[in-house]
Every structure is written in structure tokens, then in C-alpha cells.
Amino acid sequence: MILRKLQISPEKMIPLAMALIVVGLSMTVIGIAWPRFSLSLTHAGTDWNDFFRGVLFGIAIVLEIAGVVLAAKAAAAKNCRAL
């Protein structure tokens, strides 16, 4: 529903795309720093620690790809309107 409304005006799609990229990059930084600053509860085993770190990296990659796709669609729609 939100994406349908954003397709009407690509100018509003660009800030959403940039927000997704920033959140994805922030989660990547958290994933990199996870072993040094994680809670003691997750140190119960390396399997759980690796699992949570992998989940963070996975969500970060998905958010970054979604942001790039939205930015590319907005740029293409804006370019088509300019012609």
C-alpha cells in the first residue's frame, strides 16, 4: 500500500530509500561490533552468538538491497518524467 502511493511521486521515494540504506548500514556496524559488546546472556554458546550476528547481517543486507532498488526505481521514474 505504501509503495503504491510512493510510485505516484518518486520524489517521496528517495528519502525512504536513503533511510533503508542508513538503517542497513547501521545494522552492519552493530553486527561487526557484536562480539565485543554483546550481552552476557548471548555468550552462553557460540552457536547463539553466531546466529544473532548472522541475523543482523542478513536483515542489513535485505534493507540495503531494498533501498538501492527503491532509489533506482525513483531515479528511473524521475528520468522518464523529464523526457
Side-chain angles (χ1 to χ4, degrees):
M1 186 72 151
I2 294 172
L3 294 177
R4 288 183 193 159
K5 291 181 181 180
L6 289 176
Q7 286 178 351
I8 297 170
S9 61
E11 295 84 16
K12 294 181 181 178
M13 196 181 306
I14 294 172
L16 176 65
M18 292 299 118
L20 288 175
I21 291 172
V22 167
V23 170
L25 289 173
S26 299
M27 290 183 77
T28 302
V29 169
I30 292 170
I32 290 170
W34 181 268
R36 292 184 184 210
F37 302 112
S38 61
L39 298 172
S40 61
L41 293 176
T42 58
H43 285 295
T46 57
D47 293 338
W48 283 107
N49 200 15
D50 291 340
F51 172 76
F52 288 124
R53 191 173 182 202
V55 167
L56 278 174
F57 282 134
I59 293 172
I61 289 169
V62 168
L63 289 175
E64 290 174 13
I65 290 172
V68 169
V69 167
L70 283 176
K73 281 186 179 182
K78 194 172 182 180
N79 193 17
C80 289
R81 288 186 181 184
L83 296 177

